[in-house]
Amino acid sequence: MNLGGPRTALEIETFLRDLFLDPYVFDLPLWEPLRQILAKYIAKKRAPKVRSTYESMGFGGGSPLVEETIKQTAAVVKVLNEKTSDQWFGQVAMACGYPNLKDVLKKDDGPGPNHIWVPLFPQYSRSTVLSVAKIAESIIDKYPLNEKGWLRPFGLDPRFLDVSASLILDYFQGELSENHFLHLENAKGIDDWKTVDLVFSAHGIPMRLVRKGDTYVNEIETSVLEITKRLREKGFSGEIHLSYQSRVGPAKWTEPNTKITLHELGRQGRRIAVYPISFVSDHLETLEEIGVELRDLALKSGAASYYRIPSFGTYPLFVDLLSDLILESV
């Protein structure tokens, strides 16, 4: 399970409507009927604006996220079939857009030994993990988050931190295979990678969620510290930065903003590599935002060079970790 994305241009407004109608995503202190009216209005208004962005990505006017999740599912199923004597089957469902959780799940589909739920959100947030859990609860009449068979957020698992550091180092040293990634830029690695400025860019959240007790920021900060330790052990000595991207609307969001961070580093003529710490597959926020918009900003600001480290895709170490976490979830 993932947040979702429009597979084609025709699904953009539906995806945005699902996104903004979710009270855990579009979390405003308004009378609920008014919040829903506003959500539908914003979705309709934003759809034409983002259509050109999706078109520029080259995936038929939509997002590759659903297709990438299907690839990840197939890879995990293959490993599970190899690791066990059971026959495994995979299915993909999205919180927004299609294939939608509300269409895929049935009342008797609760998590359990023979039906494992895998939300692909490394860190906990009300806007992702809780949102999906609440959608599921409305269908199966049971809150699934603490049930066996529900894969809990894994962003602080030492093995996930190991795999994250390995992906970064493999990218730096040109050890990644293009077969496992949607677009692998600079596959030959980075010269003098040990001294590059490494920016961990996480998807931002409104500060009102943090004030409600959302642990997302704490988990992100801890993850960065732990991954940094692993990189230092392998000889990386460059400066580390944490910032937040994808802000929407006038409300205060998590800071510093990635745009500001990259502008400042660019002005200093730095060599910059950006790692999308909160994503497990490449899509709009990584390919277009990090790979095009933020790249242009950094280089125009004066950056000596700029590198986009990919999300996991079907990176074998990540697929193997997911399979272990699934087996352990029951």
Side-chain angles (χ1 to χ4, degrees):
M1 295 180 281
N2 211 324
L3 179 67
R7 296 171 297 184
T8 68
L10 295 176
E11 294 181 0
I12 290 175
E13 187 173 334
T14 298
F15 166 74
L16 292 175
R17 187 171 64 248
D18 287 348
L19 184 70
F20 289 115
L21 279 173
D22 189 327
Y24 296 96
V25 175
F26 191 56
D27 179 275
L28 290 180
L30 297 174
W31 181 47
E32 182 57 16
L34 178 59
R35 191 196 66 80
Q36 292 187 16
I37 291 172
L38 181 60
K40 293 176 183 177
Y41 169 77
I42 292 175
K44 190 174 186 65
K45 186 176 181 180
R46 282 183 61 84
K49 294 181 179 180
V50 301
R51 185 170 288 116
S52 60
T53 303
Y54 279 113
E55 287 176 353
S56 69
M57 292 173 63
F59 296 98
S63 167
L65 187 140
V66 174
E67 184 60 34
E68 285 298 289
T69 307
I70 291 172
K71 292 178 185 177
Q72 290 173 321
T73 303
V76 170
V77 166
K78 182 176 183 295
V79 172
L80 287 169
N81 283 330
E82 293 170 352
K83 287 187 174 183
T84 72
S85 58
D86 298 315
Q87 183 66 38
W88 292 78
F89 301 91
Q91 188 172 23
V92 168
M94 300 291 155
C96 304
Y98 304 103
N100 197 280
L101 275 169
K102 295 177 181 178
D103 300 325
V104 171
L105 295 180
K106 303 295 186 293
K107 188 170 183 178
D108 59 352
D109 280 343
N114 296 312
H115 194 219
I116 316 301
W117 294 25
V118 186
L120 290 172
F121 310 115
Q123 300 85 20
Y124 175 86
S125 176
R126 290 172 57 87
S127 59
T128 53
V129 177
L130 181 58
S131 169
V132 168
K134 286 295 186 179
I135 293 172
E137 183 182 30
S138 70
I139 300 168
I140 65 175
D141 296 330
K142 181 171 64 174
Y143 186 63
L145 193 57
N146 297 315
E147 296 291 321
K148 287 187 175 181
W150 175 279
L151 187 64
R152 298 183 63 81
F154 45 85
L156 297 181
D157 188 305
R159 295 168 296 178
F160 177 77
L161 301 168
D162 290 342
V163 170
S164 300
S166 293
L167 174 67
I168 294 169
L169 289 168
D170 282 348
Y171 175 80
F172 282 164
Q173 299 172 27
E175 298 294 334
L176 294 180
S177 169
E178 295 184 9
N179 296 333
H180 300 300
F181 304 94
L182 196 58
H183 286 314
L184 181 57
E185 302 171 3
N186 202 62
K188 295 182 179 180
I190 303 176
D191 293 334
D192 298 325
W193 60 267
K194 293 182 180 181
T195 56
V196 73
D197 276 70
L198 177 58
V199 178
F200 288 87
S201 186
H203 198 292
I205 62 172
M207 285 303 297
R208 62 178 176 271
L209 297 187
V210 177
R211 289 191 290 269
K212 288 184 177 182
D214 200 312
T215 60
Y216 175 77
V217 172
N218 287 336
E219 291 187 28
I220 289 287
E221 290 175 349
T222 301
S223 294
V224 170
L225 288 174
E226 291 298 322
I227 294 171
T228 299
K229 289 180 183 177
R230 289 158 171 78
L231 295 176
R232 298 293 191 218
E233 291 172 356
K234 298 297 183 179
F236 179 75
S237 59
E239 290 190 24
I240 298 289
H241 313 269
L242 169 61
S243 58
Y244 296 88
Q245 64 182 89
S246 308
R247 172 180 170 175
V248 177
K252 186 174 178 60
W253 279 49
T254 42
E255 295 178 338
N257 186 278
T258 301
K259 289 182 179 180
I260 295 174
T261 297
L262 292 179
H263 175 65
E264 289 301 316
L265 292 176
R267 288 180 58 194
Q268 298 169 35
R270 304 292 188 93
R271 299 162 57 241
I272 303 168
V274 182
Y275 176 64
I277 188 171
S278 59
F279 305 106
V280 301
S281 54
D282 281 322
H283 56 300
L284 182 72
E285 278 86 353
T286 63
L287 298 174
E288 182 67 21
E289 190 171 356
I290 294 177
V292 178
E293 295 175 12
L294 294 176
R295 175 194 297 275
D296 289 348
L297 184 153
L299 293 176
K300 287 178 181 178
S301 298
S305 55
Y306 183 96
Y307 307 96
R308 181 187 68 82
I309 304 171
S311 297
F312 288 111
T314 55
Y315 183 52
L317 293 180
F318 177 66
V319 170
D320 192 61
L321 170 62
L322 275 185
S323 69
D324 285 342
L325 292 172
I326 288 168
L327 293 173
E328 294 165 9
S329 70
V330 293

